[in-house]
Amino acid sequence: MKNGKMAIGLAVLLSGCVCGFAVEAAAGAGTAERSEVWEGKMYSSTFRAAMCVAPDGKARGVLLLRQRSGKIDTYHFYGKEQNGVIAVSHSSGHKLEARQTSPTSVQGSLRLANGMKVSFDAVRNTSGRVSDDCAPL
């Protein structure tokens, strides 16, 4: 009988711990950024981009543009997500706007500071790894 009471007490203690982790995870889930990695082509260049969006819609990202020569240009973008559209800009004046078109794809455009607009389609990976500064890994 004594072992039975101990087993029940241990079960109650463990279930309380598990419930505590679930509550803590649920509470933390509302404050964490969600991130995704996009891959695609623009003319003769390929790109990888990571976008990180906070629950309040604040967005940031890093675009790695690989030119045909192999040179990689890096652009850090900041902005917001609103009504399903991510609109971010670079300090040089480049602006990127994109919308999810399916669970695995994104469609958007990059407007360069000189006014030229480049449209793109990208493969979207919601489990893609990103660095602390939201660069694709």
Side-chain angles (χ1 to χ4, degrees):
M1 188 74 159
K2 192 175 186 180
N3 286 340
K5 284 184 181 180
M6 267 176 70
I8 290 172
L10 184 57
V12 168
L13 177 65
L14 287 175
S15 68
C17 289
V18 171
C19 289
F21 287 130
V23 168
E24 184 177 315
T31 59
E33 285 182 316
R34 79 169 198 283
S35 61
E36 52 192 63
V37 175
W38 305 343
E39 295 184 44
K41 274 188 91 164
M42 286 188 215
Y43 298 118
S44 62
S45 299
T46 59
F47 69 87
R48 286 178 46 84
M51 286 294 159
C52 300
V53 181
D56 65 359
K58 190 173 181 180
R60 62 193 179 108
V62 177
L63 174 76
L64 304 176
L65 184 66
R66 180 184 296 272
Q67 299 175 16
R68 188 180 342 177
S69 66
K71 181 182 178 218
I72 298 175
D73 295 321
T74 303
Y75 300 93
H76 293 260
F77 288 90
Y78 299 91
K80 64 181 179 177
E81 179 183 53
Q82 189 172 23
N83 299 324
V85 175
I86 292 179
V88 292
S89 60
H90 182 261
S91 61
S92 66
H94 301 331
K95 296 180 181 189
L96 186 144
E97 191 170 287
R99 174 184 301 275
Q100 176 186 336
T101 54
S102 81
T104 59
S105 63
V106 172
Q107 208 170 44
S109 63
L110 176 65
R111 183 171 299 276
L112 302 177
N114 67 9
M116 182 178 160
K117 185 176 180 180
V118 180
S119 296
F120 65 87
D121 292 308
V123 174
R124 177 177 180 252
N125 181 352
T126 57
S127 60
R129 294 182 51 228
V130 301
S131 67
D132 288 342
D133 70 341
C134 196
L137 295 175

